Amino acid sequence: MSRLPFYLIVALLLVTGIAMSVHRHVQFEVPWTPGEQRQVWEIEAQVDFRADGGPARVEMALPSTQPGFRVLTEHTASPGYGLNYLEENGARRALWSVREAEGNQQLYYSAQVLVAPNAEAGDVPPPRPVPNVVWEPPYDTAAQEVIDHAWSRSADPFTFAQQLISDFSDERRGENVRLLLTQFDRSPLLLRLFHQAGVQARAVSGLTLENGRRRQALNTWLEVYDGNESALFDPATGQRGRPDNLLLWENAGQSVLEVQGGTNSRISFSMISRNQPAAAAVRSQVARDADTLLNFSIHSLPLEEQALFQTILLIPIGALVVVLLRVLVGIKTSGTFMPVLIALAFIQTSLVTGLVGFLLVVAVGLVIRNYLSYLNLLLVARVTAVIITVIAIISLFSVLSFRMGLNAGLQITFFPMIILSWTIERMSILWEEEGPKEVLIQGGGSMLTAVLAYLAMNNPWIRHITFNFLGVQLILMALILMLGNYTGYRLLELRRFKPVTED
């Protein structure tokens, strides 16, 4: 029979598992190792204005996910105001409204922004061309001469922007530029010149992030388009490109703040930087992006179910250890996957406490089971009696430990009682049929396997990988299938050939 379908299934499982894990790491920036930290900026915007006494309406631009930054959470504090979030053409805005407001008003907006180098911006359409830019004489002539001078020394919209902005520097500022600056502010003037030259451009507002700064204002940047490509320019220096610490607060060329029903409006920003675990940042992103693929992962479940699955997802790791030891090494165990369940109990109790408790319960249980064998009970009744005996033993050890001040002994209750009962039953039967030597071999193999499975399952890196990357489960399945296809000798069987090597 051809083994090709088997190898295709194994390859499919491997490729799918690796692809899912890599996609989760790249797309959602889930770290490969535990304990990684991410830089998060907490930014607060404060809007102040004086209400006229009637209805008030406040509209403010909001930041969105963009290259270098991802918005995790956002909150507002606006007592008495209604709040709506608006989104159009990739631009986000907050709208506060109230039927009656009088006197000084303060509205607050805060956001947590994650520093994410792989974050991608939403689709923001380029600005529409402005067909006619009207100037009054003599500014029309001066504007055209400034444009012609920069245009002759450029090759595309980006180089034109650099040349035009450099003409506004103190060293190269000519008479025409000085005339225009007497009537217009620098950034709006540059934008008007771009429009007259037929260059698509818009003014955007950015916040320079500096740790611990208060009452900061937004800076104006010019975004110039060349077809589908765009570039940011500093209107003061002409420098092209966005600094790493620049967060675009408004990126669609609209106003940052609009207030109706009030006067003397202003907006200021405070910010602080801190580091937090990458896992917390991922959970915050899940809470915000409710419709993303990430919500099909364990992170979308309630915390109680997440804690449960964090343990369940470790079972395949323990199963892989059992398969390796039984198939390749040849270690005998009492029950196929009983060591995995014992290893799970060790995770709850700690290794030393678990080993001592397991040996005590099994030893006392074997003594009592030996007495039950003389009663010639039926199997079901005998196993039930063993279960009750195990419960009594665990209860007795817990009480004695508490009375003696050994709180670690209370954790013995985490052992699976049914599995312990069947282990005692199997070892007792094995003692009667094969003798104590075989009991020691299988019991020792079970304990060794359980300890190795515990060490693998309790490793922080493995716990992190299995919980955060579900594709690892497919990789484990492929490895176990490959081990199941092994038909060679086990390591412990090689000792049978030792006399041959001696001869």
Side-chain angles (χ1 to χ4, degrees), residues 129-409:
V130 179
N132 295 315
V133 180
V134 179
W135 305 82
E136 294 181 358
Y139 304 108
D140 53 350
T141 304
Q144 189 61 49
E145 290 184 0
V146 170
I147 292 173
D148 293 341
H149 184 257
W151 191 268
S152 63
R153 294 179 289 116
S154 64
D156 52 45
F158 295 152
T159 55
F160 171 74
Q162 288 177 315
Q163 293 298 325
L164 182 63
I165 296 174
S166 65
D167 287 342
F168 278 71
S169 63
D170 295 336
E171 296 81 6
R172 300 176 58 177
R173 186 178 300 176
E175 294 296 331
N176 292 319
V177 172
R178 292 192 181 95
L179 175 63
L180 293 172
L181 288 175
T182 60
Q183 186 69 19
F184 305 96
D185 292 332
R186 182 170 184 145
S187 296
L189 174 59
L190 287 170
L191 193 60
R192 286 172 62 91
L193 293 173
F194 284 137
H195 291 164
Q196 181 171 341
V199 175
Q200 289 180 297
R202 64 159 62 102
V204 297
S205 299
L207 181 64
T208 302
L209 299 178
E210 298 181 20
N211 189 25
R213 300 301 298 271
R214 300 173 61 249
R215 301 187 181 278
Q216 298 299 297
L218 296 176
N219 298 319
T220 300
W221 291 72
L222 298 176
E223 186 174 19
V224 179
Y225 282 80
D226 183 6
N228 294 327
E229 297 183 4
S230 65
L232 278 181
F233 291 89
D234 186 345
T237 64
Q239 182 179 0
R240 176 181 175 179
R242 192 177 72 175
D244 294 336
N245 64 337
L246 179 66
L247 172 68
L248 291 183
W249 195 268
E250 198 290 315
N251 60 349
Q254 303 177 9
S255 60
V256 176
L257 180 65
E258 294 181 0
V259 177
Q260 298 178 11
T263 57
N264 298 328
S265 61
R266 64 183 183 276
I267 181 172
S268 59
F269 298 86
S270 302
M271 66 206 76
I272 188 172
S273 174
R274 62 183 180 85
N275 292 326
Q276 73 175 34
V282 171
R283 287 194 296 269
S284 299
Q285 181 183 350
V286 174
R288 176 175 175 83
D289 300 331
D291 297 328
T292 62
L293 182 63
L294 191 61
N295 262 331
F296 289 95
S297 73
I298 302 301
H299 288 91
S300 62
L301 298 176
L303 290 180
E304 183 177 357
E305 281 69 24
Q306 289 189 40
L308 176 63
F309 272 97
Q310 193 169 20
T311 301
I312 292 177
L313 293 174
L314 293 174
I315 294 179
I317 298 293
L320 178 62
V321 173
V322 172
V323 173
L324 286 171
L325 294 179
R326 289 182 65 103
V327 173
L328 298 183
V329 181
I331 292 179
K332 296 182 179 180
T333 61
S334 179
T336 306
F337 291 104
M338 183 272 290
V340 179
L341 300 177
I342 300 301
L344 287 175
F346 288 168
I347 292 176
Q348 303 294 331
T349 63
S350 79
L351 182 58
V352 176
T353 303
L355 280 173
V356 173
F358 179 80
L359 293 176
L360 286 175
V361 173
V362 172
V364 176
L366 283 175
V367 173
I368 298 177
R369 169 59 179 79
N370 184 50
Y371 170 74
L372 292 176
S373 64
Y374 291 105
L375 300 180
N376 294 324
L377 300 177
L378 296 176
L379 175 62
V380 176
R382 188 170 67 244
V383 173
T384 304
V386 173
I387 292 175
I388 297 174
T389 301
V390 169
I391 295 175
I393 294 171
I394 291 177
S395 302
L396 179 62
F397 284 164
S398 298
V399 173
L400 290 177
S401 299
F402 179 73
R403 292 289 182 87
M404 297 173 62
L406 302 175
N407 293 331

Side-chain angles (χ1 to χ4, degrees), residues 310-311 314 347 456-468:
Q310 193 169 20
T311 301
L314 293 174
I347 292 176
M457 297 163 66
N458 202 43
N459 182 276
W461 184 80
I462 291 180
R463 294 172 69 92
H464 171 82
I465 288 293
T466 54
F467 180 68
N468 290 284

Side-chain angles (χ1 to χ4, degrees), residues 14-76:
L14 282 174
V15 172
T16 304
I18 294 174
M20 288 176 59
S21 301
V22 172
H23 173 266
R24 187 162 168 77
H25 172 72
V26 173
Q27 183 69 24
F28 302 107
E29 299 179 0
V30 180
W32 292 117
T33 58
E36 287 192 24
Q37 300 286 315
R38 291 288 189 268
Q39 185 182 14
V40 176
W41 286 92
E42 293 190 5
I43 305 171
E44 181 183 82
Q46 177 179 334
V47 177
D48 298 277
F49 69 98
R50 185 173 183 82
D52 298 335
R57 173 189 172 101
V58 180
E59 190 172 331
M60 184 186 75
L62 300 180
S64 58
T65 297
Q66 54 195 269
F69 300 97
R70 176 177 289 116
V71 179
L72 296 180
T73 61
E74 52 188 358
H75 305 280
T76 61

Side-chain angles (χ1 to χ4, degrees), residues 498-503:
K498 185 177 180 181
V500 177
T501 60
E502 292 177 352
D503 293 341

